[in-house]
Amino acid sequence: MEVHGSLLQRVLVFSLCVVGIWTAYIYQGVLQETLSTKRFGPDGNRFEHLAFLNLAQNVVCLIWSYIMIKLWNSRNAGGAPLWTYWSAGITNTIGPAMGIEALKYISYPAQVLAKSSKMIPVMLMGTLVYKQRYSFPEYVCTLLVAGGVSIFALLKTSSKTISKLAHPNAPLGYGLCFLNLAFDGFTNATQDSIKARYPKTSAWEIMLGMNLWGTIYNMVYMFGWPWGSGFEAVQFCKRHPEAAWDILLFCLCGAVGQNFIFLTISRFGSLANTTITTTRKFVSIVVSSLLSGNPLSTRQWGSVVMVFSGLSYNTYLKWRKLQRVPKKRKSM
């Protein structure tokens, strides 16, 4: 009975994580697309200061992580000092800003697809710089993802979708997305290095350190001089309170989503989290196509299926590797 009760509890917790991650990030995607395409008020102005979303997200997540640390685990004596996050904070500020700015030039489904191809720069860097070798199935996964993104980028976007963009420019939009991936790669590597040097550092402490430096850098960038775009963003929110409300909901979704991601990784591992977030991205594209009026052609849907087939196969390969580790230990 205890085994069945424990299994049922794990299933319920996992289901809660899936629903939490999907709900938070799918709704955040809807809000992100709304803020980048909607015309506010009778004058029909767009919210052009999308980088302000990163600052708002940093502030909310900074407060959120501080509260979580105070409630659940006070800062460990062996945790990483806050100053160690300064370099990762730079790339974590620039990278997401580029990803959000890309929505001025390409549609939300295109942005999600481009940002899903993270394995491509990772494998390129691993092969060219670190001389790492990958298996044939791993190259197949990469080709599926790269091919799907390339086909989607080359196919003609509907005029309805283009009309919603502030400044349609596909090469610039995709370029910003791939730069976002490159900066994310450095951020992840730096976080792993910090975790290795300070093993007692909790996920909430990493979240606190990253968002503290992100808040500092974004505040300097947006409010550090009289003509900073932050002042214009605040004035826009005063004129259009519905935009301010959307920004607040966007930030809260990000904070809640990170909460469920940390819970998933701590209870079920990073592979389970990868599976949930991969399927979430596919659902986000479907939701965008149906609710936000971004129609995709049959060929575009084919390229979407290619990308997520590659991502799903890559997740399966990771699962196979994890299954082999216990067997090797038993044989030893």
Side-chain angles (χ1 to χ4, degrees):
M1 290 292 292
E2 287 184 10
V3 174
H4 288 296
S6 177
L7 179 62
L8 178 61
Q9 185 181 15
R10 282 180 62 82
V11 170
L12 289 175
V13 173
F14 185 76
S15 301
L16 177 66
C17 290
V18 172
V19 172
I21 291 173
W22 278 32
T23 304
Y25 285 112
I26 289 173
Y27 187 47
Q28 188 185 48
V30 172
L31 291 167
Q32 188 180 42
E33 187 171 9
T34 299
L35 286 163
S36 64
T37 59
K38 184 178 177 180
R39 294 183 180 275
F40 292 91
D43 49 0
N45 287 335
R46 292 179 184 269
F47 183 71
E48 293 278 356
H49 316 289
L50 296 180
F52 185 75
L53 295 178
N54 285 328
L55 172 58
Q57 180 82 85
N58 286 144
V59 172
V60 171
C61 287
L62 176 64
I63 297 170
W64 183 280
S65 58
Y66 179 78
I67 293 172
M68 290 297 107
I69 288 172
K70 289 297 181 183
L71 286 177
W72 301 110
N73 61 319
S74 57
R75 283 186 61 81
N76 296 316
L82 291 176
W83 64 265
T84 57
Y85 299 96
W86 73 269
S87 59
I90 294 174
T91 53
N92 195 48
T93 299
I94 299 173
M98 288 182 169
I100 288 181
E101 283 292 317
L103 288 172
K104 292 181 181 179
Y105 311 105
I106 57 176
S107 66
Y108 179 72
Q111 185 224 36
V112 172
L113 268 192
K115 292 178 70 175
S116 298
S117 58
K118 194 171 186 176
M119 67 172 69
I120 298 173
V122 169
M123 287 187 70
L124 279 174
M125 290 292 289
T127 303
L128 299 175
V129 179
Y130 299 107
K131 307 299 180 185
Q132 293 181 0
R133 292 185 179 182
Y134 297 93
S135 64
F136 178 73
E138 287 175 318
Y139 283 114
V140 171
C141 294
T142 305
L143 285 173
L144 280 170
V145 173
V149 173
S150 300
I151 292 170
F152 192 96
L154 292 172
L155 290 172
K156 186 178 179 181
T157 306
S158 69
S159 55
K160 185 178 180 181
T161 301
I162 291 176
S163 66
K164 292 183 178 182
L165 301 177
H167 311 286
N169 189 329
L172 179 56
Y174 282 106
L176 287 170
C177 285
F178 290 127
L179 283 172
N180 178 193
L181 291 179
F183 281 111
D184 280 354
F186 180 85
T187 301
N188 294 338
T190 307
Q191 286 178 339
D192 291 341
S193 174
I194 292 171
K195 186 70 175 174
R197 281 182 290 154
Y198 303 96
K200 293 183 179 180
T201 306
S202 69
W204 294 119
E205 289 173 326
I206 294 175
M207 187 177 176
L208 179 73
M210 295 296 293
N211 285 291
L212 172 63
W213 284 101
T215 300
I216 293 170
Y217 294 141
N218 275 309
M219 286 290 288
V220 171
Y221 169 68
M222 304 208 77
F223 295 99
W225 41 78
W227 56 90
S229 59
F231 297 104
E232 295 179 16
V234 171
Q235 290 301 318
F236 187 94
C237 291
K238 286 182 178 179
R239 292 195 305 271
H240 307 287
E242 65 270 31
W245 179 247
D246 284 345
I247 291 171
L248 176 62
L249 289 176
F250 172 87
C251 297
L252 290 175
C253 284
V256 171
Q258 286 190 34
N259 192 45
F260 281 108
I261 283 176
F262 290 151
L263 178 61
T264 304
I265 293 172
S266 64
R267 292 290 187 91
F268 306 101
S270 59
L271 184 61
N273 180 63
T274 301
T275 305
I276 296 171
T277 52
T278 298
T279 50
R280 188 276 303 172
K281 289 174 182 176
F282 182 82
V283 175
S284 292
I285 292 177
V286 175
V287 170
S288 175
S289 179
L290 296 177
L291 296 184
S292 302
N294 290 321
L296 301 181
S297 65
T298 304
R299 290 181 179 179
Q300 284 178 317
W301 276 117
S303 63
V304 170
V305 171
M306 274 184 69
V307 170
F308 286 97
S309 296
L311 293 174
S312 301
Y313 188 34
N314 187 55
T315 303
Y316 170 73
L317 292 175
K318 290 179 180 177
W319 176 80
R320 286 282 301 273
K321 283 184 179 179
L322 288 175
Q323 294 299 307
R324 292 194 196 106
V325 173
K327 291 180 181 178
K328 288 182 179 179
R329 286 178 180 171
K330 285 181 181 180
S331 62
M332 289 175 67

